[in-house]
């Protein structure tokens, strides 16, 4: 009898109405994950925690937030308009799953991007303990793809490498001069003016994420 009454209430018209109700619900925008990601970013900045200092559990937690944000949340700033949002802004790399980034940088390094105008950007590495270095700056130029093919793809061309070392400022360093004339790319997957998420694939075809946070002037 229970089956009978259940089937009678599930007439085609009722099923259509139920389906319409479900489809009318707004899709998840990963608000919780976005808020948690932001809270972690703020805590890292306040406590000056570097990406290399994150434990494996925290890294897995952040990666989960990033994946869900990318899957469920739209960029509030269209990627093809990224070029208009970068000049005059400063960004700090907060989290990376890219093996090359994690393995090649000194453990105390902080990566920062200073977009001076619509063409010039300083790619900065700041240190606390490495070989007496305070800061390494790659004076660079950049372009942003606004086409439908790769909207938001940022190409950075390194032009001049300078550093602050042992009290001397803006000394050219031959070792890092190897970067001169080379390029790197940021493949933007999400951008809202506060959080910038890069999604890419390494040489082994492994997917990776880099998360940048806007940095306010504290000078």
């Amino acid at each position: 009898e229970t089956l009978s009454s259940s089937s009678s209430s599930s007439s085609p018209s009722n099923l259509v109405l139920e389906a319409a109700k479900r489809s009318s619900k707004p899709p998840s925008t990963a608000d919780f994950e976005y808020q948690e990601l932001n809270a972690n970013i703020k805590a890292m900045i306040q406590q000056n925690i570097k990406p290399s200092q994150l434990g494996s559990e925290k890294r897995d937690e952040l990666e989960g937030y990033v994946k869900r944000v990318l899957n469920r949340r739209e960029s509030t700033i269209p990627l093809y308009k990224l070029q208009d949002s970068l000049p005059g802004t400063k960004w700090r790399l907060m989290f990376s799953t890219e093996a090359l980034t994690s393995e090649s940088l000194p453990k105390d390094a902080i990566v920062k991007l200073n977009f001076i105008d619509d063409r010039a950007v300083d790619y900065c590495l700041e240190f606390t303990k490495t070989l007496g270095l305070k800061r390494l700056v790659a004076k660079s130029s950049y372009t942003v793809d606004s086409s439908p093919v790769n909207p938001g793809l940022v190409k950075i061309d390194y032009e001049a490498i300078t550093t602050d070392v042992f009290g001397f400022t803006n000394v050219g360093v031959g070792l890092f001069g190897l970067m001169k004339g080379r390029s790197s790319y940021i493949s933007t997957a999400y951008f809202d003016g506060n959080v910038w998420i890069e999604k890419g694939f390494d040489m082994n075809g492994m997917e990776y994420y880099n998360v940048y946070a806007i940095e306010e002037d504290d000078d």
Side-chain angles (χ1 to χ4, degrees):
E1 289 184 296
T2 304
L3 287 174
S4 175
S5 61
S6 173
S7 60
S8 64
S9 63
S10 299
S11 64
S13 59
N14 286 335
L15 289 173
V16 170
L17 288 173
E18 289 300 319
K21 288 179 182 178
R22 289 195 296 271
S23 64
S24 65
K25 292 180 180 179
S28 169
T29 55
D31 287 343
F32 171 78
E33 290 83 0
Y34 181 79
Q35 290 169 4
E36 288 298 306
L37 181 61
N38 258 312
N40 277 276
I41 286 173
K42 289 179 181 178
M44 289 179 67
I45 292 174
Q46 290 171 355
Q47 300 172 39
N48 199 28
I49 296 175
K50 302 166 183 63
S52 61
Q53 295 174 319
L54 296 172
S56 58
E57 288 187 8
K58 176 57 69 173
R59 292 173 61 82
D60 290 343
E61 176 189 337
L62 293 177
E63 184 174 356
Y65 294 150
V66 169
K67 287 181 177 179
R68 287 190 283 276
V69 166
L70 291 184
N71 286 335
R72 303 175 187 173
R73 196 176 186 91
E74 292 288 334
S75 292
T76 55
I77 297 175
L79 300 187
Y80 69 88
K81 291 186 176 180
L82 181 62
Q83 173 74 58
D84 299 331
S85 299
L86 292 180
T89 62
K90 297 179 181 180
W91 297 83
R92 172 174 170 173
L93 178 64
M94 304 304 306
F95 171 67
S96 177
T97 65
E98 187 179 8
L100 180 62
T101 298
S102 303
E103 296 169 3
S104 62
L105 292 176
K107 296 298 183 184
D108 65 327
I110 297 176
V111 177
K112 295 185 177 182
L113 295 170
N114 177 14
F115 290 89
I116 299 167
D117 53 33
D118 60 355
R119 286 186 290 183
V121 58
D122 285 351
Y123 183 99
C124 307
L125 298 180
E126 295 185 357
F127 309 96
T128 55
K129 302 175 182 176
T130 300
L131 300 175
L133 286 172
K134 179 182 178 183
R135 189 168 69 141
L136 170 70
V137 180
K139 296 287 185 181
S140 312
S141 59
Y142 76 99
T143 56
V144 182
D145 194 335
S146 59
S147 75
V149 180
N150 288 305
L153 179 67
V154 180
K155 180 186 178 186
I156 298 176
D157 296 311
Y158 304 116
E159 296 176 352
I161 314 299
T162 60
T163 189
D164 296 352
V165 56
F166 296 120
F168 295 95
T169 303
N170 292 330
V171 179
V173 177
L175 173 64
F176 298 109
L178 294 173
M179 296 171 62
K180 185 176 181 179
R182 295 192 179 185
S183 302
S184 65
Y185 296 85
I186 299 177
S187 183
T188 306
Y190 177 90
F191 185 90
D192 64 11
N194 292 303
V195 176
W196 183 2
I197 302 177
E198 173 187 7
K199 176 182 176 181
F201 296 88
D202 63 21
M203 291 183 293
N204 297 318
M206 298 295 292
E207 190 174 72
Y208 67 82
Y209 307 99
N210 287 320
V211 179
Y212 301 85
I214 193 74
E215 188 167 75
E216 303 297 337
D217 282 323
D218 54 4
D219 299 334

